[in-house]
Structure formats: structure tokens, C-alpha cells
Amino acid sequence: MSPIEFKNSDYLKDLKTKFLNNEFDETCRGCKSLEDAGLQSIRQHLLALYGETTVDQLDYMELRASNLCNFQCKMCNSENSSLISGSVNTVSDSDWSEILVLAENLKVLTLTGGEPMLIKHYYQLLDHLIAKDKTDINLRVYTNASVYNHIFVDKILKFNTTLNLSIDGVGRTAELQRTGTVWSTVQDNVSKFIALPVQIKFHITLTNISIIDVHSLAKYFVEIVENNPHCTFVAHTANSPKYLAIYNLAPGLFNTALRSIESALDILVHPQFAQLREQLIAHQSLIKSKLPV
């Protein structure tokens, strides 16, 4: 379906009706499994951002216009990474024309990918909204922080922008979980992004790779908050592929993970770390439940 056909589809109408009636749909199985384990899901994350609202018009849109990316993250897939799929997939011209029209009336626009700063369509979209004097839109950009493009940055500064930086670890851990990472480059770009007059939110994906070195990430975040107390931090849990899930942590690494979590919790005392702390405590409990009696 085209974007407008999907927006008006029976499928979406039925799904909305289920939500309004508090009925479960199998589409939501991934979020439900995380919530049942005491971990925060994307559903809960979005509810925290927007609340439970019902509107007649489309006021929020999340775009994945292309899978063009320079990373092969362990928890990613071919739909979101051209390096994993071996080819670049991009939205059709006809669909893109509809998206440009739909975007004009939004309150919130999220750009992800792929890596947004590599996707040419997004440059065109931002120019389109600027030309239409629609810069009052709340713009949210998700980036792996591997690219700092001055042209892209100049455009997003015209909006009320939140930059969401996907940072799961430091040094070797970052390079292992997000294949393609050059940590020194990412670290340098993070410093540049933080200096911009935009909101900065760090997104941490917790896996059985990153959890065993999460204390190193915590130290890095503490240093950031000391100089930038308005940065916020949100932790997510990888539930796919299953081998990365926290409940599939190798038994020999249980204690390593617990020590790393404990060290992280000892220093993540700033209020901005509240959600990250909650998720680490939930992971701590989950790992302890797997320990042999």
C-alpha cells in the first residue's frame, strides 16, 4: 500500500479499534514479551513521550525512507541496513510524493533509517518543510553518530530538534556491537552534537554483549552529564535476534554482567539516569533469576 492507502486502510482501522478496546493484537507480541519480563518496551517508551491520546488527524510520522547505512549492528536486519542486505532499498518516487504532502501537517516527525545523514530523501524533505514554513514541527533524528554532515545539521537547526544518539558501549564494546563503528570518530562526533542548540537523548540498546561492559559506558555518560546536565538517557532491550537477548547470556558471564551492572549503578546517580537505572536493575534481577541455585 502507498502511505495514504495505509493511513486509510481497514487494517489500521481495525488495529486502532483494538487499542481503544484494550484488546491485544499479535502485532504487539515483541513489546508484550519484554513487558512480561519486567523490561521496558518501545510501546512504553512512546507512551511516556506522547501519552494515551486519540486524534482524528495524522500528527506523528516515523520514516525509514531507506536502509542506506554504514553499520552492520548485531541487533539490526536487512530492512534497516544496506550492508546487511547487500543492497540499498529506497522508498518509491510515488510514495515519496505522498509523504511530502503528509509531512506538512505533522506535529512530530521522526527520521531514522539506515543512517539519516546518509539518506538524500531526508535532505529534500527538510528543504520542503522549510520552504513551506513548517519548521514548528518537532523533529526527531536517530543517528549512530558516525557522520557529522554540516549541511544536514544546518537544516535541522531550523526545527525544534531532538538528536537521538545510539550509543551502546565505548571502545571495543561499541565496535563489537555496532560493526562499522570507529569509536574515536563516534566520540568526536558526539562532542560536536552536544555542542549544538538541540536536545540530546542517548539511546542504549542492552544486549548480552553490551551488558558485560556497561560500567564503562556508565563512566562515559557520567562525564557527559557533568558538563551537559540536560542530556537524557533511555535504555532499550534487544529481543531479536534471540542470541543477543539478555536471557541468553552465557552462564559463565552471569557474574561478569552482575559486577558490571553493580558498578554502573554505583555511579549513575544523576536524575537524568533514572530510566537507565530502572532498566539495569530489571536486567540485574533477570540475570540473578538465571543463576544456578
Side-chain angles (χ1 to χ4, degrees):
M1 289 182 281
S2 73
I4 291 178
E5 287 173 338
F6 177 72
K7 176 178 176 290
N8 299 321
S9 67
D10 289 338
Y11 163 78
L12 204 56
K13 290 176 183 176
D14 291 342
L15 192 61
K16 289 178 179 179
T17 298
K18 284 186 176 181
F19 288 166
L20 291 172
N21 293 332
N22 290 317
E23 296 175 14
F24 177 74
D25 187 272
E26 280 299 321
T27 307
C28 307
R29 175 62 61 186
C31 283
K32 187 175 187 303
S33 64
L34 288 175
E35 293 172 21
D36 288 347
L39 305 173
Q40 188 181 60
S41 68
I42 296 297
R43 183 190 78 88
Q44 292 171 319
H45 171 64
L46 292 176
L47 280 174
L49 280 176
Y50 307 115
E52 295 190 23
T53 59
T54 303
V55 294
D56 295 325
Q57 73 283 353
L58 179 69
D59 59 10
Y60 172 90
M61 183 161 60
E62 177 176 322
L63 288 179
R64 298 174 185 266
S66 174
N67 67 343
L68 180 61
C69 192
N70 54 347
F71 277 15
Q72 293 175 279
C73 300
K74 292 289 194 298
M75 56 284 183
C76 197
N77 53 62
S78 59
E79 292 182 358
N80 298 312
S81 170
S82 55
L83 290 184
I84 293 176
S85 71
S87 61
V88 177
N89 301 319
T90 303
V91 65
S92 68
D93 290 341
S94 59
D95 284 353
W96 188 246
S97 296
E98 291 188 6
I99 289 171
L100 290 177
V101 174
L102 290 170
E104 293 177 12
N105 298 308
L106 298 174
K107 292 181 180 178
V108 182
L109 172 63
T110 295
L111 302 181
T112 183
E115 167 50 46
M117 294 196 191
L118 299 177
I119 299 174
K120 292 181 179 179
H121 275 94
Y122 291 159
Y123 291 76
Q124 178 192 358
L125 174 58
L126 295 174
D127 284 339
H128 176 78
L129 293 173
I130 292 168
K132 292 286 186 177
D133 196 26
K134 298 293 183 178
T135 55
D136 57 338
I137 291 174
N138 290 314
L139 181 65
R140 298 194 169 103
V141 180
Y142 284 78
T143 175
N144 59 31
S146 67
V147 179
Y148 187 96
N149 186 297
H150 292 279
I151 297 173
F152 190 91
V153 168
D154 288 344
K155 295 181 191 302
I156 67 174
L157 289 181
K158 298 181 185 298
F159 298 82
N160 178 21
T161 298
T162 299
L163 268 178
N164 297 274
L165 309 181
S166 299
I167 307 294
D168 310 328
V170 302
R172 176 59 181 155
T173 300
E175 294 172 350
L176 181 61
Q177 180 151 310
R178 294 185 178 267
T179 306
T181 298
V182 177
W183 174 245
S184 59
T185 299
V186 169
Q187 191 172 19
D188 183 52
N189 287 340
V190 168
S191 298
K192 293 177 183 177
F193 287 134
I194 289 176
L196 296 173
V198 299
Q199 300 175 60
I200 298 292
K201 180 177 288 187
F202 287 86
H203 286 255
I204 306 99
T205 301
L206 296 170
T207 70
N208 56 21
I209 294 173
S210 61
I211 199 70
I212 60 176
D213 190 37
V214 73
H215 64 287
S216 298
L217 181 64
K219 292 177 182 177
Y220 174 61
F221 284 160
V222 167
E223 292 174 3
I224 286 176
V225 167
E226 286 176 351
N227 298 309
N228 307 275
H230 300 298
C231 291
T232 55
F233 303 81
V234 179
H236 309 282
T237 302
N239 208 26
S240 177
K242 288 187 176 181
Y243 80 89
L244 284 180
I246 211 73
Y247 47 76
N248 282 329
L249 188 71
L253 294 176
F254 283 164
N255 288 324
T256 301
L258 289 175
R259 286 194 297 270
S260 186
I261 292 172
E262 289 167 3
S263 296
L265 291 173
D266 284 342
I267 62 173
L268 293 173
V269 295
H270 194 282
Q272 297 294 69
F273 297 129
Q275 193 272 353
L276 175 54
R277 282 183 57 88
E278 288 176 4
Q279 290 304 288
L280 287 177
I281 291 170
H283 282 73
Q284 185 182 48
S285 298
L286 189 60
I287 294 170
K288 285 181 177 179
S289 72
K290 300 293 183 180
L291 285 171
V293 178

